[in-house]
Amino acid sequence: MPRKPKYTREELIDAAVELTRESGFASVTARSLGKRLGTAPATVFTHFNSLDEIRQAAVEAARKRYDEFVARGLQMNPPFKGFAIQYIRFSVEEPELFRLLFMTISQPLSMENFISPTLDDELIQGTIPDTFGLDYKESAWLCHNMWIYTHGLAVMCVSSACSFTEKEISELLGM
């Protein structure tokens, strides 16, 4: 009978996320996970069939962390600006998770395919018409262009090209 692992599936995912935070996503290997969990590298496959599955679970956990930031932003007024502030804050507070989610692309994407997974149209773009009195087409234009601007600010922060205070970010975003 196989031995019961010393850690849970969630602890393994948490270890993968912590390794990503500390050293980037490339550092998530069976060896590094085994070392982090105090076990042999092969045992990390007790809960997963492959390293790719472990990494995918880590990406999903990073996405949940990002979603927490988005939810806080949507509670701000106006919600669209709150989202932008929290997107930039995520890049500052979780730089390696930001790189993983928004700066690692396996293949070139169209602008629409790059933006759409980032912006939940129902939650974010849906706040624009009431806030700014715009129709759907104008709202979509504003949403996409503001996201490009916001992403640029976030990349500047995560790459240490610039450092902004929250007040400066708010002023840069206007509204």
Side-chain angles (χ1 to χ4, degrees):
M1 182 161 82
R3 294 174 53 184
K4 184 177 177 182
K6 298 177 183 180
Y7 52 86
T8 66
R9 177 181 174 91
E10 290 73 28
E11 289 170 329
L12 178 60
I13 294 168
D14 289 346
V17 170
E18 286 305 313
L19 284 167
T20 300
R21 281 182 171 130
E22 293 167 11
S23 306
F25 198 54
S27 71
V28 178
T29 64
R31 176 172 277 131
S32 65
L33 288 166
K35 184 175 181 180
R36 174 63 54 107
L37 296 166
T39 188
T43 66
V44 302
F45 301 109
T46 303
H47 296 291
F48 294 91
N49 293 320
S50 68
L51 186 58
D52 285 341
E53 284 184 18
I54 296 168
R55 287 180 166 191
Q56 185 56 45
V59 169
E60 290 170 17
R63 174 66 66 177
K64 286 180 184 175
R65 177 75 173 130
Y66 166 72
D67 289 345
E68 293 169 8
F69 279 75
V70 171
R72 284 194 300 269
L74 294 175
Q75 298 304 309
M76 300 167 83
N77 192 15
F80 182 64
K81 182 177 181 179
F83 160 76
I85 288 169
Q86 288 299 110
Y87 184 83
I88 296 167
R89 180 177 282 154
F90 181 73
S91 78
V92 171
E93 292 182 21
E94 298 283 7
E96 291 301 331
L97 298 185
F98 181 87
R99 282 185 181 94
L100 171 63
L101 295 176
F102 304 112
M103 295 177 71
T104 305
I105 298 175
S106 60
Q107 62 185 14
L109 299 171
S110 69
M111 182 58 70
E112 185 64 31
N113 288 336
F114 185 74
I115 292 174
S116 290
T118 307
L119 294 176
D120 184 328
D121 290 340
E122 300 280 328
L123 292 174
I124 298 162
Q125 189 172 329
T127 68
I128 295 173
D130 291 338
T131 303
F132 300 105
L134 302 174
D135 65 26
Y136 179 80
K137 186 175 179 180
E138 293 167 326
S139 295
W141 181 89
L142 176 61
C143 187
H144 290 172
N145 284 284
M146 189 61 179
W147 185 86
I148 292 167
Y149 181 73
T150 299
H151 182 70
L153 291 173
V155 169
M156 289 168 63
C157 290
V158 80
S159 65
S160 301
C162 289
S163 177
F164 302 108
T165 65
E166 188 154 336
K167 181 180 181 200
E168 288 171 324
I169 291 169
S170 183
E171 289 171 357
L172 287 167
L173 294 171
M175 300 183 265

Short mmCIF file of all heavy atoms in Angstrom, two decimals, residues 11-12 53 57 83 98 102 113 124 152:
data_model
loop_
_atom_site.label_atom_id
_atom_site.label_comp_id
_atom_site.label_asym_id
_atom_site.label_seq_id
_atom_site.Cartn_x
_atom_site.Cartn_y
_atom_site.Cartn_z
N GLU A 11 -1.19 22.14 0.27
CA GLU A 11 0.14 22.54 0.72
C GLU A 11 1.15 22.48 -0.43
O GLU A 11 2.04 23.34 -0.51
CB GLU A 11 0.59 21.64 1.88
CG GLU A 11 -0.16 21.90 3.17
CD GLU A 11 0.09 20.88 4.24
OE1 GLU A 11 0.34 19.69 3.92
OE2 GLU A 11 0.03 21.26 5.43
N LEU A 12 0.99 21.52 -1.31
CA LEU A 12 1.86 21.43 -2.47
C LEU A 12 1.65 22.62 -3.41
O LEU A 12 2.61 23.25 -3.87
CB LEU A 12 1.60 20.12 -3.22
CG LEU A 12 2.40 19.88 -4.50
CD1 LEU A 12 3.90 19.87 -4.24
CD2 LEU A 12 1.98 18.57 -5.14
N GLU A 53 0.76 19.68 -14.42
CA GLU A 53 -0.47 19.77 -13.62
C GLU A 53 -0.24 20.59 -12.35
O GLU A 53 -1.10 21.37 -11.96
CB GLU A 53 -0.98 18.38 -13.26
CG GLU A 53 -1.66 17.65 -14.38
CD GLU A 53 -2.24 16.31 -13.95
OE1 GLU A 53 -2.41 16.08 -12.73
OE2 GLU A 53 -2.52 15.49 -14.84
N ALA A 57 -2.05 24.19 -11.49
CA ALA A 57 -2.73 24.46 -10.21
C ALA A 57 -2.15 25.72 -9.56
O ALA A 57 -2.89 26.50 -8.95
CB ALA A 57 -2.60 23.25 -9.28
N PHE A 83 -10.59 49.01 -10.16
CA PHE A 83 -9.96 47.86 -10.80
C PHE A 83 -8.54 48.21 -11.26
O PHE A 83 -7.59 47.48 -11.01
CB PHE A 83 -10.77 47.36 -12.01
CG PHE A 83 -9.96 46.53 -12.95
CD1 PHE A 83 -9.63 45.23 -12.65
CD2 PHE A 83 -9.46 47.09 -14.12
CE1 PHE A 83 -8.84 44.47 -13.50
CE2 PHE A 83 -8.67 46.34 -14.98
CZ PHE A 83 -8.37 45.03 -14.67
N PHE A 98 2.34 38.49 -10.92
CA PHE A 98 1.96 39.36 -12.03
C PHE A 98 2.68 38.92 -13.30
O PHE A 98 2.08 38.80 -14.36
CB PHE A 98 2.27 40.82 -11.71
CG PHE A 98 1.87 41.77 -12.82
CD1 PHE A 98 0.58 42.27 -12.87
CD2 PHE A 98 2.76 42.13 -13.80
CE1 PHE A 98 0.20 43.14 -13.90
CE2 PHE A 98 2.40 42.98 -14.83
CZ PHE A 98 1.10 43.49 -14.88
N PHE A 102 0.52 37.83 -16.41
CA PHE A 102 0.34 38.87 -17.43
C PHE A 102 1.56 39.18 -18.29
O PHE A 102 1.48 40.00 -19.18
CB PHE A 102 -0.15 40.16 -16.77
CG PHE A 102 -1.41 39.95 -15.99
CD1 PHE A 102 -1.41 40.04 -14.61
CD2 PHE A 102 -2.59 39.61 -16.63
CE1 PHE A 102 -2.57 39.82 -13.89
CE2 PHE A 102 -3.76 39.38 -15.92
CZ PHE A 102 -3.75 39.49 -14.55
N ASN A 113 -7.69 38.83 -27.53
CA ASN A 113 -7.47 37.60 -26.78
C ASN A 113 -6.56 37.81 -25.58
O ASN A 113 -6.60 37.05 -24.62
CB ASN A 113 -6.92 36.49 -27.67
CG ASN A 113 -7.97 35.96 -28.62
OD1 ASN A 113 -9.16 36.06 -28.37
ND2 ASN A 113 -7.51 35.43 -29.74
N ILE A 124 -16.16 44.37 -14.92
CA ILE A 124 -15.40 45.60 -15.09
C ILE A 124 -16.00 46.49 -16.17
O ILE A 124 -16.38 47.63 -15.91
CB ILE A 124 -13.93 45.27 -15.37
CG1 ILE A 124 -13.36 44.53 -14.16
CG2 ILE A 124 -13.13 46.53 -15.66
CD1 ILE A 124 -12.10 43.79 -14.41
N GLY A 152 0.44 49.11 -18.92
CA GLY A 152 1.73 49.77 -19.09
C GLY A 152 2.28 50.29 -17.77
O GLY A 152 3.47 50.12 -17.46
#
